Amino acid sequence: LADVNYVRQKQALGLGHAVLRSKELVGDEPFAVVLSDDIIDAEVPALRQMLDVFEKYKSPVVALMEVPRENISAYGVVAGDVVADYSGRGRLVKLSDMVEKPKADVAPSNLAIIGRYILTPDIFHAIETITPGAGGELQLTDAIKLLLKTRAVYGYVFEGTRYDAGDKFGF
Ligand code: G1P
């Protein structure tokens, strides 16, 4: 029932670079990014929960999860303000900053980005604008941070349990 197309990222130049490879395929419409090593078990799929946010606010949405400080430097980490009147399942945060893999003592919060994003096509120009960041890679986090200068971006603390299949215990 679906058409499946793919593009390859032939060199490991970062998540931002990987997403940029899909520019022609995506075209001029909103799209989802799913990092398949983040597995989320939820009554309502996390992406569905995030679509509810997108449909209401018409702005990009990144998935968030609270993470203990000692593990925070493995993630993209956000700063922002809780949207008090959001009535969905999870918690909504209007983002003001984000940083990829910060040291624990300078992390802006304990809210980590998890591998689900609903993005808009302006992300491609942002990725083309940034320079390599953490680990010498083109980071999606840095491109979304650039978008924050010109439009609202939301973080969404989803309802569900996340397993990191890139980690032996999570797997
Ligand atoms: C990627 C993202 C990071 C995010 C993480 C979630 O990092 O760059 O912002 O927190 O996925 O799993 P990676 O795990 O590829 O190093």
Side-chain angles (χ1 to χ4, degrees):
L1 296 178
D3 289 327
V4 177
N5 296 281
Y6 70 91
V7 290
R8 290 178 58 206
Q9 181 194 31
K10 292 179 184 165
Q11 288 171 288
L13 299 179
L15 177 58
H17 175 262
V19 171
L20 185 58
R21 294 283 299 112
S22 72
K23 182 180 175 182
E24 305 304 324
L25 204 56
V26 168
D28 192 24
E29 56 184 343
F31 64 105
V33 173
V34 176
L35 306 187
S36 50
D37 57 349
D38 279 331
I39 295 170
I40 300 174
D41 182 24
E43 199 181 304
V44 174
L47 207 53
R48 178 63 258 175
Q49 296 178 45
M50 293 167 70
L51 279 168
D52 291 343
V53 175
F54 181 80
E55 282 161 8
K56 183 157 184 208
Y57 294 88
K58 312 283 184 225
S59 299
V61 189
V62 307
L64 299 177
M65 186 178 97
E66 284 184 21
V67 159
R69 277 274 164 183
E70 62 264 32
N71 302 336
I72 201 79
S73 59
Y75 297 90
V77 184
V78 304
D81 298 306
V82 172
V83 180
D85 62 354
Y86 183 69
S87 58
R89 295 182 157 249
R91 251 185 314 139
L92 191 63
V93 181
K94 188 159 191 271
L95 300 183
S96 56
D97 196 13
M98 52 208 309
V99 42
E100 181 67 16
K101 302 200 170 62
K103 292 214 168 77
D105 53 341
V106 294
S109 74
N110 66 341
L111 286 176
I113 300 171
I114 299 303
R116 301 287 184 280
Y117 309 76
I118 297 175
L119 299 173
T120 43
D122 50 357
I123 193 68
F124 295 119
H125 182 250
I127 299 170
E128 284 162 344
T129 308
I130 59 168
T131 51
E137 297 185 341
L138 271 190
Q139 296 294 349
L140 184 60
T141 302
D142 294 342
I144 300 172
K145 180 184 161 107
L146 188 58
L147 281 190
L148 277 175
K149 290 186 180 175
T150 54
R151 69 178 303 162
V153 178
Y154 290 89
Y156 177 75
V157 186
F158 58 86
E159 208 178 76
T161 307
R162 173 253 190 181
Y163 300 92
D164 176 6
D167 164 271
K168 275 187 188 165
F169 181 67
F171 185 79

